[in-house]
């Protein structure tokens, strides 16, 4: 089984990484379907807007607090600080939308590469005790092995990073089948259930 960590193939995972790979709660039956590029990009766009909004709000609060402190202790300095803050806010206002549009272009490009590995959009995916069903094709687990697991980092600026299985590449009777956390509805549960059933233990 190959292990791909943040886009790079590695021999093994560091113990601190392996310990922090979280798996979603298990269920006897997990179902989903392959999402379209538009669905994936729209979800990513919502998260991007939220992220840009948080950054903008934080910068705005910092500038406001600094301006109030200036008015209280050195009111005359506002003549210099005021225009500077205006320039900063204008730059954020101009750069923010441009960065947002650029991020969507990159997200769509990455999404299309992900979907190229999967079954067609709308294909149903089902995992239960009997096996893996993709579309109308059921394959028992005894005929499935893991070819590769792709691990991704969840960055947390205010604490320790976490890790999760981003995708798993299965060998299904000699044919590759990819289960993707992002590109399949209910993807996290689907990927993690496949890992559990096939006995993957990162630790």
């Amino acid at each position: 089984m190959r292990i791909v960590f943040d886009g790079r193939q590695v021999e093994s995972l560091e113990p601190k990484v392996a310990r922090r790979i979280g798996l979603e709660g298990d269920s006897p039956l997990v179902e989903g379907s392959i999402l379209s590029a538009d669905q994936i990009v729209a979800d990513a766009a919502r998260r991007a807007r939220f992220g840009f909004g948080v950054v903008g709000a934080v910068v705005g609060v910092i500038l406001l607090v600094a301006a109030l402190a200036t008015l209280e202790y050195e009111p005359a300095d506002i003549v210099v600080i005021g225009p500077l803050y205006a320039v900063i806010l204008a730059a954020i206002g101009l750069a923010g939308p441009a960065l947002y549009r650029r991020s969507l272009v990159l997200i769509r490009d990455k999404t299309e590469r992900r979907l190229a590995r999967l079954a067609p959009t709308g294909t149903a995916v089902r995992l239960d005790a009997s096996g893996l069903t993709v579309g109308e094709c059921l394959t028992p687990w005894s005929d499935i092995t893991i070819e590769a697991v792709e691990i991704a980092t969840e960055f947390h600026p205010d604490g320790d990073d976490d890790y999760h299985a981003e995708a798993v590449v299965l060998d299904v009777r000699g044919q590759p089948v990819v289960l993707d956390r992002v590109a399949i509805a209910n993807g996290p549960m689907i990927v993690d259930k496949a890992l559990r059933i096939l006995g993957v233990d990162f630790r």
Side-chain angles (χ1 to χ4, degrees):
M1 180 183 77
R2 292 185 295 109
I3 299 176
V4 179
F5 179 54
D6 285 340
R8 296 180 298 104
Q9 185 168 328
V10 297
E11 290 297 324
S12 61
L13 295 172
E14 294 182 16
K16 68 175 183 178
V17 174
R19 286 194 300 269
R20 296 188 68 86
I21 296 177
L23 296 181
E24 297 283 337
D26 200 6
S27 174
L29 168 65
V30 181
E31 296 179 295
S33 61
I34 310 297
L35 300 171
S36 69
D38 288 343
Q39 289 174 303
I40 298 170
V41 172
D43 184 60
R46 284 192 293 270
R47 294 196 301 270
R49 287 195 298 271
F50 177 78
F52 280 117
V54 169
V55 171
V58 169
V59 172
V61 168
I62 291 173
L63 293 178
L64 177 60
V65 169
L68 293 175
T70 299
L71 286 172
E72 182 174 354
Y73 295 105
E74 294 291 344
D77 287 350
I78 200 65
V79 176
V80 176
I81 297 296
L84 176 61
Y85 286 177
V87 170
I88 293 173
L89 291 174
I92 292 172
L94 292 173
L99 289 173
Y100 172 74
R101 289 191 295 270
R102 177 59 179 166
S103 68
L104 291 190
V105 170
L106 295 175
I107 289 169
R108 181 168 290 277
D109 182 61
K110 183 178 180 180
T111 296
E112 290 174 351
R113 291 199 304 270
R114 297 180 87 128
L115 289 175
R117 305 192 302 169
L118 275 67
T121 296
T123 300
V125 179
R126 174 189 173 104
L127 290 79
D128 58 19
S130 62
L132 168 67
T133 303
V134 179
E136 301 297 326
C137 182
L138 168 63
T139 305
W141 294 111
S142 58
D143 292 336
I144 300 174
T145 58
I146 294 181
E147 179 181 320
V149 179
E150 299 172 7
I151 306 298
T153 303
E154 298 176 12
F155 296 101
H156 298 297
D158 55 349
D160 293 335
D161 295 335
D162 286 321
Y163 309 90
H164 62 255
E166 186 82 352
V168 56
V169 182
L170 304 176
D171 184 322
V172 180
R173 292 175 177 165
Q175 297 297 318
V177 172
V178 179
L179 303 179
D180 190 289
R181 182 185 185 92
V182 174
I184 304 177
N186 207 21
M189 291 282 288
I190 287 173
V191 170
D192 290 353
K193 184 170 182 65
L195 294 174
R196 278 196 176 95
I197 290 178
L198 294 171
V200 175
D201 185 356
F202 297 106
R203 288 164 289 188

